[in-house]
Structures are given as structure tokens and as C-alpha cells.
Amino acid sequence: MEIAPQSHELRTVGSFRGPKPRTGFFLNESLAIDELEDANGPVRYRRNGSRIELERPVSAARFRYHGQLGREGNRDFKSRAWVQPGEVRLTEITIWYPVFYEGASDVPWPPEPGTGILSVSSTENLSWFTSGIPIGANRFEFREPSDLVVVGVPFASATYAGRPELRIASPRHEALAVPARSTWDALAGHLGPARTSLISIVEFPATGTTNGLAFLSSNLVVLSSATCNYVVERTPRALRVVAHEMAHRWFGGDLRPVGPGTRWLVESFAEHYAWVVVREQLGDEQLQKIVEETTKQAGEVPTSILALGWEDERVYSAGTLGVRALAERVGQQRLDDVIRRMHVDRVPWSVATLFEELRRSGADVRQLSSFQRDWGLE
């Protein structure tokens, strides 16, 4: 893969292989497919936005595609976030390789681990950060499923020792280091050490805007300057945002969701554990304010969690209240222990296995069954 920052262009030549034939995949709609073929020759397809439907199933294919990202009209929020060309750049290739789906009701999620090599063709006097591993000058390797995020910033980084190391690219890296480390350590205390040796945190100086941009991709956390302001001030909102994004290193990163309810397993659990961090660091009163605010947004609860669609934002409100109700039903410590064990033993992260592990842990079977009925998780 090669990215040319000056032209916002991505060019990719690659291949994919799966354990069984696939009927389609998702690909950023800004990317044009130049070539798609398998051992039997060219593969014809129909395209509907980001959805690619193959005319015949394939288990392995070669592909070539290209496109310009970050242009006006691109609906991908992060890909639109190019600011002040020549000074700072940010783009997200969503998705940088095909994301398979099994059927119409399945939720897309990045596939099994693969390897990709990215080259940034021009440095533009910027320091470049990605969600991959540096392997040379402006070259990065990607070994796990993730969207590919590339950020160019006009300042260097500082590295802070610990597990994992924190590499912070910001003019105020010292001020950000303490809250970043304490938030990460709080999450690790509940969920166990994440399988990573380095987390990069990059301040994105969106000058002249209060954009609250914040997200994580693999080992890279991107925070807008506005969000960094609040992190330094230790506001409840900032702590919640940063804890949520860091929690994705577990929920969505190490714990990759499978089966129904994948977005609940990723977004709602990340948000719940952000609430846990807020309570521990800022107290019960601040947590209660968050719960009251979320309850107003959630609509009627309990609700059927599995009926929440991929783009249904109630996953952050009603879905999180569902995780909170589960923690109250089984006990936060038991929930922590079960998730930590699933994480360490690499147990598939699914609704079915979560409740199976909770039963094995000694949680009341009748209460779990009642919870699953009330929240539509059967």
C-alpha cells in the first residue's frame, strides 16, 4: 500500500484468503476497484456504496484498488478530517482491506489477522504516525485487523516507559502523560494487560474548531486539541472519552467480536468500562450524572440489544445501560474476572460465550436467563 499525502491518494495491490468461500465484502466507497480475480480468472461483482457483492463465492482472491480520501463530500468522518494541508494531515482508510460479511443480517467487522505494508510517499516535514508498526523510514507493517489510520503532525513525540510504553505526539506531552497512564492502568486493572507493547497518542491540532474528534485504531489514539484541553483539565467528559477509546484496545482489539450483537460487545462494553474509570477516579456523583444523562437518551429500557442496528446510536445509551444492568446482576468483580479470563485464554468474544463463561463462574443461572430475556439476548 502506498499513500501520497499531497494528492490524498491510496494505491493498493494485495490479496486475501479466508477459511471458506465468501460472497462479498465491504470496502470504503471512495476506493475504486481496478482488478479483482481468483485462480479461475476475473471475479465480477455488483457495488452498492461500500458493499461489494460477488457474482460467485471466492475463498482467495487478488485485488488492486485506488482512490482519493479526505476530499469534500466523503461521508467517512475521519477521512474528512484533513486540516491545514502542509501543516497537519489525518486520514483513515476505511476499510483498508476487504471486510467480509456472512449474510444480510451480519454486522461487518475486520477479518482474521493479516499482514500489510504501508509506504508514505512524502513526509512533507511532518512526523507520521499510524496504527501499524514502524519498520523503516515512512514504512509501517500491519499485523492485526484494523482500519488503517495515518496521521502527520508538525511536532515530534516523547516516549514514557511502562507497560505498554506511551508514545505521545503533542506539544504538551508531559501534561497528557499522567492522565493517559492512569486511565490505561485503571482499565488494565479490570481487564488484564492488553496484548500490545506500545500505544501512540497523537494530538490533532484542529485549529479554529472545537471538534471533539477522538478515536482508537489498534495501537493509535487520536485526540483533537479541543479534547486534549479537557484531558489536561481532567473534566469528566474527557476522562470518559479517553477511557472509552482506550477500552477499544480490549473490546474490538484483543477481544474481537463474533456472531450477533458485535457492536454491543464493542461499543457498549467500552463505554461501560469508561464509566467504571470515571467512578473510580472522580467519584459516584460524577458517574450518577452520566447515568442520568444516558437514561434520558436511551428511550425505553430494557430493550432488545440484538435488534439495535449497526448504525443505531442507542448502542451507546441503551446498550451501555444493558452492560451496567448485567454488571449489577452478576457483580462487577465477577464480570471483570470473566472478561479477563476470556481475554487471557483467547476465548471467542461473543454473546453466547460471554453468558456461558458467566454461568461457569457461578453466576445465578436463573438471573442470567431472566436478563437475556429482558434484554433480547437469547
Side-chain angles (χ1 to χ4, degrees):
M1 297 174 288
E2 181 176 285
I3 287 182
Q6 291 179 330
S7 62
H8 298 201
E9 188 168 54
L10 166 75
R11 292 180 291 275
T12 298
V13 178
S15 63
F16 59 79
R17 183 183 303 275
K20 58 184 178 180
R22 308 286 184 158
T23 59
F25 55 87
F26 293 88
L27 186 71
N28 188 309
E29 58 193 83
S30 299
L31 300 176
I33 298 175
D34 301 313
E35 184 179 279
L36 177 62
E37 62 180 9
D38 66 1
N40 297 314
V43 179
R44 300 180 65 180
Y45 60 88
R46 293 184 299 274
R47 183 160 198 168
N48 181 14
S50 61
R51 191 181 184 99
I52 312 296
E53 297 177 353
L54 306 177
E55 289 196 355
R56 58 182 172 84
V58 299
S59 57
R62 295 177 296 277
F63 59 87
R64 184 164 56 89
Y65 53 80
H66 76 280
Q68 288 189 315
L69 297 150
R71 293 299 192 187
E72 192 68 29
N74 190 322
R75 292 188 301 169
D76 183 335
F77 173 66
K78 300 185 187 78
S79 291
R80 289 202 310 269
W82 295 68
V83 173
Q84 298 175 341
E87 296 181 30
V88 60
R89 294 180 180 274
L90 162 69
T91 192
E92 177 185 39
I93 315 305
T94 312
I95 298 298
W96 65 275
Y97 51 75
V99 171
F100 298 113
Y101 60 82
E102 302 290 342
S105 63
D106 288 344
V107 172
W109 201 258
E112 299 82 8
T115 299
I117 304 295
L118 166 73
S119 295
V120 180
S121 62
S122 172
T123 63
E124 297 186 313
N125 297 317
L126 300 178
S127 298
W128 289 94
F129 296 83
T130 81
S131 44
I133 301 169
I135 59 172
N138 299 318
R139 285 175 61 82
F140 306 89
E141 182 175 5
F142 300 84
R143 298 176 182 169
E144 62 180 311
S146 174
D147 297 351
L148 167 59
V149 176
V150 183
V151 188
V153 291
F155 34 74
S157 62
T159 301
Y160 294 85
R163 179 174 167 81
E165 287 187 337
L166 294 180
R167 182 176 57 167
I168 303 178
S170 167
R172 46 185 165 175
H173 52 81
E174 292 182 357
L176 291 171
V178 172
R181 173 62 70 190
S182 65
T183 301
W184 182 272
D185 290 346
L187 289 166
H190 287 273
L191 302 168
R195 294 192 289 271
T196 183
S197 59
L198 174 68
I199 291 290
S200 296
I201 301 173
V202 177
E203 176 176 348
F204 184 74
T207 304
T209 178
T210 58
N211 189 331
L213 180 72
F215 66 91
L216 175 141
S217 181
S218 294
N219 301 324
L220 173 68
V221 181
V222 177
L223 304 173
S224 73
S225 290
T227 298
C228 288
N229 290 340
Y230 300 132
V231 171
V232 172
E233 295 168 9
R234 299 285 287 166
T235 69
R237 174 63 181 170
L239 177 59
R240 177 181 171 187
V241 167
V242 173
H244 176 103
E245 300 307 335
M246 286 185 166
H248 278 314
R249 181 57 264 189
W250 287 267
F251 301 111
D254 294 347
L255 292 162
R256 303 201 63 76
V258 294
T262 55
R263 199 161 182 238
W264 182 65
L265 293 167
V266 173
E267 296 295 351
S268 301
F269 274 80
E271 183 67 2
H272 169 74
Y273 276 91
W275 292 9
V276 170
V277 173
V278 168
R279 178 179 57 78
E280 290 180 350
Q281 297 196 9
L282 301 181
D284 289 331
E285 183 178 344
Q286 290 298 337
L287 173 60
Q288 191 56 39
K289 289 180 180 178
I290 291 174
V291 173
E292 290 173 358
E293 173 190 344
T294 304
T295 301
K296 292 177 183 178
Q297 300 168 352
E300 185 177 351
V301 291
T303 189
S304 176
I305 287 172
L306 296 187
L308 295 176
W310 178 247
E311 295 183 348
D312 193 333
E313 295 303 290
R314 292 185 68 216
V315 72
Y316 295 99
S317 55
T320 308
L321 292 173
V323 181
R324 177 175 168 81
L326 177 62
E328 291 175 342
R329 194 79 60 101
V330 304
Q332 183 64 55
Q333 185 63 58
R334 185 190 302 275
L335 184 61
D336 291 352
D337 292 344
V338 164
I339 293 174
R340 188 184 301 111
R341 186 166 60 251
M342 294 176 71
H343 178 217
V344 171
D345 295 341
R346 300 176 186 253
V347 175
W349 180 235
S350 70
V351 171
T353 53
L354 171 62
F355 281 91
E356 179 182 345
E357 293 297 320
L358 284 169
R359 291 185 180 92
R360 287 181 180 176
S361 74
D364 188 282
V365 173
R366 288 175 298 179
Q367 285 202 13
L368 286 177
S369 297
S370 173
F371 177 88
Q372 287 180 274
R373 285 195 303 272
D374 292 345
W375 289 88
L377 286 166
E378 293 183 309

